[in-house]
């Protein structure tokens, strides 16, 4: 069982960067009370570390699952909220709830794809737990309980050939509810301490919004915000397959089941979430969309904003040049800091052992695993 000592572990979003990197960048390029933004917010790593550090946070993404988990990770919770989540998880009748009757048979077949009768007992427990959410009065507590379900089911189903038994699922659900409630309590205390140290000037401490790029600049919810002092983000990688919206059950069979557990809508394919990172071999579509996105981001920045990105490539010699050209085209110039460099090119490169993407090799059907090497790019307005 993965640890739950921080909100970062509430849900393991694909391709997230390390909290330590986020913390270091926030400390280096912003001050308490500044606005820190992540316009590809993913699992909310930037927002959690920004809130811990007493910064305002703004996060946007096109994935409703991303918005859900980022919101849960950055909220404040009351003791009654946490108690109700633990009571819900410990209910011995949890597996007897009905399937959500608001969903059509077609929708259920979609969300339950590849979560089949071979794991009927585990599926029945999870469906019953979703039905029992109606007994939780607080919307915040219900969302935290859904996140407990996500974490438990991700542990038991995603990328596993052997699925734990129903009793093991039930024990994990109870354990995760208790651990995540403890973590949420500690994080609430930490967030409040940080909030007391710095005024928010009447703004919401953390705003998380489902919104595509371009489309964020000038959005009504951000009109009162100052320019971000730091944009810390990780956009989809060119030519690299990252499954942001699916889990893979036995035999790597894809399922949209996490959207059912989170109570979110699902209806888009891989290309939608990756800016066509793999569907166009030339990557022309990807770089067109990247330029459009960062033109919107650049519009929100001022001369003091640092834009820090974590990016990975499957063909560095070609794609890095094209990536930097895209940044330059929207008025962002690369800046290098000698103290951060780990390579002769003056940039911070890092190997990520244990993280493997699918990268194209030759024909589209010819895929090989590729151990990602990532670079941290820093830009400012030209």
């Amino acid at each position: 069982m993965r640890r739950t000592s921080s909100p970062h572990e509430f849900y393991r979003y694909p391709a997230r960067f390390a909290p330590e990197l986020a913390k270091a960048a926030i400390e280096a390029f912003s001050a308490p009370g500044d606005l820190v933004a992540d316009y590809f917010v993913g699992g909310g790593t930037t927002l959690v570390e920004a809130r811990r550090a007493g910064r305002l946070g703004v996060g946007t993404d096109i994935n409703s699952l991303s918005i859900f988990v980022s919101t849960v990770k950055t909220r404040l919770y009351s003791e009654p909220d946490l108690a109700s989540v633990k009571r819900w998880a410990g209910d011995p009748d949890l597996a007897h709830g009905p399937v959500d009757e608001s969903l059509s048979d077609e929708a259920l077949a979609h969300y339950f794809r590849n979560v089949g009768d071979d794991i009927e007992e585990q599926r029945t427990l999870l469906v019953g737990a979703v039905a029992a959410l109606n007994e939780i009065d607080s919307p915040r507590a219900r969302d935290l309980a859904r996140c407990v379900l996500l974490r438990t089911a991700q542990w038991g189903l995603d990328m596993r050939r052997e699925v734990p038994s129903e009793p093991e699922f039930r024990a994990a659900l109870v354990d995760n509810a208790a651990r995540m409630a403890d973590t949420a309590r500690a994080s609430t205390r930490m967030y409040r301490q940080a909030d007391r140290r710095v005024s928010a000037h009447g703004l919401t401490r953390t705003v998380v919004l489902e919104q595509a790029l371009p489309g964020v600049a000038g959005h009504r919810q951000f009109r009162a915000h100052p320019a971000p002092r730091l944009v810390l983000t990780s956009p989809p990688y060119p030519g690299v397959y990252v499954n942001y919206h699916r889990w893979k059950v036995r035999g790597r069979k894809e399922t949209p089941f996490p959207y059912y557990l989170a109570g979110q809508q699902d209806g888009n394919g891989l290309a939608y979430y990756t800016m066509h990172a793999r569907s166009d071999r030339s990557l022309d579509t990807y770089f067109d969309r990247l330029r459009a996105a960062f033109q919107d981001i650049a519009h929100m920045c001022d001369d003091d904003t640092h834009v820090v990105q974590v990016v990975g490539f499957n063909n560095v010699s070609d794609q890095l040049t094209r990536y930097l050209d895209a940044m330059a085209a929207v008025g962002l110039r690369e800046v290098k800091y000698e103290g951060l460099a780990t390579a002769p090119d003056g940039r911070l490169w890092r190997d990520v052992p244990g993280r493997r993407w699918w990268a194209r090799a030759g024909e589209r059907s010819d895929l090989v695993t590729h151990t990602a090497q990532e670079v941290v790019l820093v830009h400012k307005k030209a």
Side-chain angles (χ1 to χ4, degrees):
M1 183 73 65
R2 288 165 171 163
R3 63 187 185 277
T4 48
S5 58
S6 82
H8 296 299
E9 301 299 324
F10 283 4
Y11 183 76
R12 307 276 288 187
Y13 198 81
R16 68 205 178 284
F17 45 73
E20 294 80 9
L21 187 151
K23 179 181 179 182
I26 289 167
E27 290 177 349
F29 297 115
S30 70
D34 285 344
L35 177 64
V36 174
D38 186 347
Y39 301 111
F40 299 92
V41 76
T45 302
T46 294
L47 298 186
V48 170
E49 292 303 318
R51 181 135 206 203
R52 284 178 162 184
R55 275 64 163 173
L56 301 178
V58 163
T60 65
D61 207 291
I62 58 174
N63 190 345
S64 63
L65 189 60
S66 163
I67 299 305
F68 173 77
V69 297
S70 297
T71 299
V72 171
K73 290 177 181 181
T74 53
R75 270 180 172 162
L76 303 176
Y77 296 94
S78 68
E79 285 301 322
D81 288 340
L82 304 180
S84 63
V85 171
K86 290 194 283 189
R87 282 196 305 272
W88 159 83
D91 184 351
D93 295 325
L94 206 58
H96 302 301
V99 175
D100 187 350
E101 295 180 356
S102 68
L103 294 174
S104 67
D105 291 342
E106 183 180 354
L108 285 174
H110 168 71
Y111 286 111
F112 287 15
R113 188 169 77 244
N114 293 323
V115 181
D117 293 341
D118 58 330
I119 51 172
E120 182 179 5
E121 291 184 350
Q122 297 90 326
R123 184 184 63 193
T124 299
L125 172 65
L126 296 170
V127 168
V130 170
L133 292 168
N134 293 327
E135 300 173 10
I136 300 177
D137 293 331
S138 164
R140 290 183 176 229
R142 281 199 300 273
D143 284 349
L144 181 58
R146 283 189 182 274
C147 206
V148 171
L149 275 173
L150 276 174
R151 177 182 167 76
T152 304
Q154 186 181 40
W155 160 78
L157 299 178
D158 190 24
M159 299 299 291
R160 291 190 68 152
R161 292 191 177 274
E162 296 300 324
V163 176
S165 67
E166 191 270 352
E168 290 172 321
F169 257 92
R170 187 181 290 273
L173 187 69
V174 173
D175 183 62
N176 281 332
R179 292 175 181 269
M180 290 171 65
D182 289 344
T183 299
R185 179 184 297 108
S187 295
T188 295
R189 188 181 305 117
M190 183 178 294
Y191 293 158
R192 282 181 171 147
Q193 289 173 350
D195 291 349
R196 284 194 291 268
R197 290 196 296 267
V198 180
S199 172
H201 305 292
L203 299 172
T204 303
R205 295 285 177 173
T206 304
V207 177
V208 193
L209 182 67
E210 186 177 351
Q211 174 63 50
L213 285 165
V216 176
H219 194 285
R220 59 182 178 79
Q221 287 195 236
F222 302 139
R223 286 173 187 165
H225 284 81
R229 206 46 59 236
L230 170 66
V231 176
L232 175 59
T233 196
S234 184
Y237 298 170
V240 176
Y241 166 83
V242 180
N243 218 19
Y244 295 107
H245 66 308
R246 294 288 185 266
W247 290 348
K248 292 191 174 180
V249 190
R250 291 176 174 171
R252 304 181 69 84
K253 296 178 180 178
E254 294 187 1
T255 181
F257 192 55
Y259 286 86
Y260 172 78
L261 298 177
Q264 303 300 312
Q265 296 293 314
D266 168 66
N268 296 293
L270 178 67
Y272 176 77
Y273 297 106
T274 62
M275 299 195 296
H276 290 260
R278 278 182 60 245
S279 58
D280 177 4
R281 289 193 63 188
S282 71
L283 290 179
D284 289 345
T285 301
Y286 170 86
F287 282 107
D288 286 345
R289 296 192 174 197
L290 186 78
R291 279 189 291 272
F294 274 88
Q295 186 167 27
D296 206 42
I297 291 172
H299 185 74
M300 292 178 281
C301 300
D302 64 18
D303 293 344
D304 295 322
T305 304
H306 281 85
V307 179
V308 179
Q309 302 176 63
V310 180
V311 188
F313 306 99
N314 73 350
N315 184 343
V316 174
S317 60
D318 172 58
Q319 294 165 2
L320 176 58
T321 299
R322 293 185 71 180
Y323 201 96
L324 294 174
D325 288 347
M327 296 299 106
V330 301
L332 295 174
R333 62 179 175 86
E334 186 180 13
V335 293
K336 297 178 181 179
Y337 295 94
E338 185 176 347
L340 298 178
T342 59
D345 67 359
R347 302 185 181 97
L348 193 165
W349 288 89
R350 59 195 213 110
D351 292 315
V352 189
R355 176 181 289 180
R356 305 188 74 82
W357 314 124
W358 285 97
R360 183 184 292 108
E363 294 301 318
R364 186 174 179 184
S365 60
D366 182 18
L367 299 174
V368 295
T369 53
H370 171 73
T371 301
Q373 187 183 47
E374 297 171 334
V375 63
V376 178
L377 300 176
V378 184
H379 285 81
K380 296 190 75 175
K381 293 192 79 168

